[in-house]
Amino acid sequence: MGRVTVRRPVLRLSHQGERHRPDALAAEEPLELRIDGKAVAVTMRTPGNDVELAHGFLLTEGVIGDREDISAARYCAGTGPDGRNTYNVLEISLSPGVAPPDVGVERNFYTTSSCGVCGKAALDAVKLRTRYAPADDDCAVSVEVLTTLPDKLRAAQKVFDSTGGLHGAGLFTTDGELLVAREDVGRHNAVDKVMGWAVQSGLVPLRGCVLMVSGRASFELVQKAAMAGVPVLAAVSAPSSLAAELSDEQGMTLIGFLRGDSMNVYTGAQRVLR
């Protein structure tokens, strides 16, 4: 497995002068995802939890609905300059009867760590119809619980402590219990790893759950939450206009600027107990 962090020498400049010292950087390497021998995506990610990443990606793209839809996941042979396996090519075998990805919603062959939705064929193609409608979930979460989530997620970001360069995503119950947290250089990858964990754990659809993300709430993160049946998405920063539009359309609760004891509720305010 590739390294999660990489040590690199830096020149530190401050009012105290300058000095050379090592610094830890968040690792970023390509992961090529193949489905039954066909390359469908390459994403730049932080190595680790790659099988979860693949499961989450395929769930949120509408290819699979649960863990039984995948029969096998294995790394393909591929070596780096040192002769060791790079673990950067993952082969997924779909179970009999599971249709391969629709060409109309496939990503372009390459996506960056910061952008997932821009590789789509067209905007309409990403408004995927979820198998698990969030609008049917009448769960509720209190303001008091919501205000604790950013600190709980931050406490679970172990690699962020050493690098400061990773996005975080955490799945919580409406009582504030952390179920799982994942980190990645790409915010959409962090969410895919969380969703993949849920798929492998047999927890999808994610009724009565809150997805907390460390950055902004983009359109694609709302889409991913909707595809897994997540009723509440909260972020420490701002949502985009399209994210709010999709959240409203899917009957989700979307919360932004969740900091300290305040927040903005953009959609689905009936789930927030005041």
Side-chain angles (χ1 to χ4, degrees), residues 204-236:
V204 176
L206 291 168
R207 305 297 189 199
C209 288
V210 180
L211 177 64
M212 179 76 214
V213 296
S214 62
R216 61 187 177 85
S218 65
F219 172 84
E220 181 163 86
L221 298 195
V222 173
Q223 178 221 336
K224 289 180 180 297
M227 293 299 288
V230 176
V232 182
L233 172 62
V236 299

Side-chain angles (χ1 to χ4, degrees), residues 124-149:
D124 288 343
V126 297
K127 289 192 174 181
L128 304 175
R129 186 180 299 277
T130 178
R131 308 181 193 190
Y132 313 112
D136 298 337
D137 193 332
D138 60 359
C139 73
V141 58
S142 70
V143 167
E144 289 76 15
V145 166
L146 286 168
T147 56
T148 68
L149 302 189

Side-chain angles (χ1 to χ4, degrees), residues 53-172:
L53 173 58
H55 278 70
F57 171 78
L58 294 178
L59 172 73
T60 58
E61 291 297 325
V63 178
I64 67 171
D66 56 52
R67 58 186 173 185
E68 304 304 324
D69 290 341
I70 291 179
S71 61
R74 61 187 179 276
Y75 288 102
C76 299
T79 58
D82 58 1
R84 298 181 179 180
N85 195 319
T86 61
Y87 295 101
N88 284 341
V89 181
L90 189 65
E91 172 77 25
I92 298 294
S93 297
L94 298 178
S95 298
V98 178
D102 185 346
V103 174
V105 297
E106 280 187 7
R107 296 173 187 264
N108 287 342
F109 189 70
Y110 177 84
T111 60
T112 70
S113 57
S114 62
C115 180
V117 71
C118 58
K120 297 291 185 178
L123 182 60
D124 288 343
V126 297
K127 289 192 174 181
L128 304 175
R129 186 180 299 277
T130 178
R131 308 181 193 190
Y132 313 112
D136 298 337
D137 193 332
D138 60 359
C139 73
V141 58
S142 70
V143 167
E144 289 76 15
V145 166
L146 286 168
T147 56
T148 68
L149 302 189
D151 286 343
K152 289 180 179 179
L153 176 59
R154 176 65 182 81
Q157 291 186 250
K158 303 305 182 184
V159 183
F160 183 90
D161 287 339
S162 60
T163 66
L166 292 178
H167 293 282
L171 192 65
F172 294 85

